[in-house]
Amino acid sequence: MLTARQGLAALLTLCLAFMAPAAAHAAGRGPAAAPDRASPRTPVVLVHGYNADPGVWGSLRADLRADGYTDGELFSFGYDTHQSVNEVLAGRLAAYVEQVRRETGAARVDVVAHSFGSLVSRWYITFGGGAAVVDHWVSLAGPNRGTSTAWACALWDQACRDMTPGSYVVKNLGSGDPTPGAVKYATFWSNCDEVINPDDSVPLTGATNTPVGCLAHNDLLGDDAASAGVRAFLAS
């Protein structure tokens, strides 16, 4: 249990870390009009984190476009990050993925998630049918086994409660195989992450787990080496 002083410090850390990317409003996009033919690449669905929006993906989207992806193959799932992972958000992600598949003609999608988005997308894969649909799954700085900093806002925010160690969401995702199905899993984590505590909450048994060195929580979104690692994994 955090003391009052530790709780205030954790809350300030949490809020400042998550608010930073929300100020960047590079264009995220939802599914567009259906193309005349199936997409030649596996579409990528980007799932942002807590208190953020699709704009955080500007750097990675640019790198993916430079690798040959078209805008019609890159999709950003936008959602209210203060709602329940298991009761609301995973189902909405499932519906979004189905819309992407219909509009691209793709049988499967790749998912890249940051922070809280890792829990939303893992629940969808594990309990929402996503294991049959997702080809590659990537977690950037995800609180996959919970983070103690989330206690700072857990009293009034459902998403924060879901991110706490031992929460219903964390417990159920960790109760069986943490990387189920034929999905290829990867995580990228920092040993200087001020939001994920402990740092090794990110890696998962059965995943390709890559340390990125000393990066702040949101810096993984724009780091060149992390981006190169993500893109190489998606191409594997």
Side-chain angles (χ1 to χ4, degrees), residues 56-68:
V56 303
W57 295 112
S59 179
L60 182 58
R61 287 176 65 91
D63 289 345
L64 288 167
R65 286 196 298 268
D67 279 356

Side-chain angles (χ1 to χ4, degrees), residues 71-215:
D71 284 334
E73 295 160 346
L74 300 174
F75 300 88
S76 299
F77 175 58
Y79 62 102
D80 180 354
T81 65
H82 303 286
Q83 295 182 310
S84 168
V85 166
N86 58 305
E87 295 177 346
V88 179
L89 297 178
R92 291 183 179 173
L93 175 59
Y96 183 85
V97 168
E98 288 310 300
Q99 187 177 355
V100 169
R101 292 176 65 214
R102 286 195 303 271
E103 295 183 355
T104 61
R108 299 173 75 85
V109 302
D110 292 334
V111 173
V112 180
H114 178 243
S115 193
F116 178 61
S118 301
L119 296 184
V120 175
S121 52
R122 280 185 69 204
W123 194 278
Y124 159 58
I125 291 171
T126 304
F127 301 114
V133 173
V134 176
D135 191 12
H136 295 77
W137 175 84
V138 178
S139 171
L140 297 170
N144 291 313
R145 291 193 298 278
T147 175
S148 63
T149 58
W151 285 114
C153 49
L155 184 62
W156 63 85
D157 190 285
Q158 180 60 51
C160 288
R161 287 193 288 276
D162 289 346
M163 286 189 283
T164 58
S167 72
Y168 178 87
V169 168
V170 169
K171 185 181 299 182
N172 278 273
L173 286 174
S175 63
D177 182 357
T179 53
V183 181
K184 303 179 188 73
Y185 294 86
T187 73
F188 293 79
W189 62 281
S190 165
N191 59 3
C192 296
D193 194 323
E194 77 284 10
V195 171
I196 304 302
N197 185 26
D199 297 328
D200 63 2
S201 176
V202 183
L204 294 170
T205 301
T208 300
N209 300 301
T210 304
V212 297
C214 186
L215 291 177

Side-chain angles (χ1 to χ4, degrees), residues 59-60 62-63 67 140 188 212 215 218-232:
S59 179
L60 182 58
D63 289 345
D67 279 356
L140 297 170
F188 293 79
V212 297
L215 291 177
N218 289 324
D219 288 350
L220 274 78
L221 289 163
D223 181 70
D224 289 341
S227 172
V230 170
R231 290 178 283 125

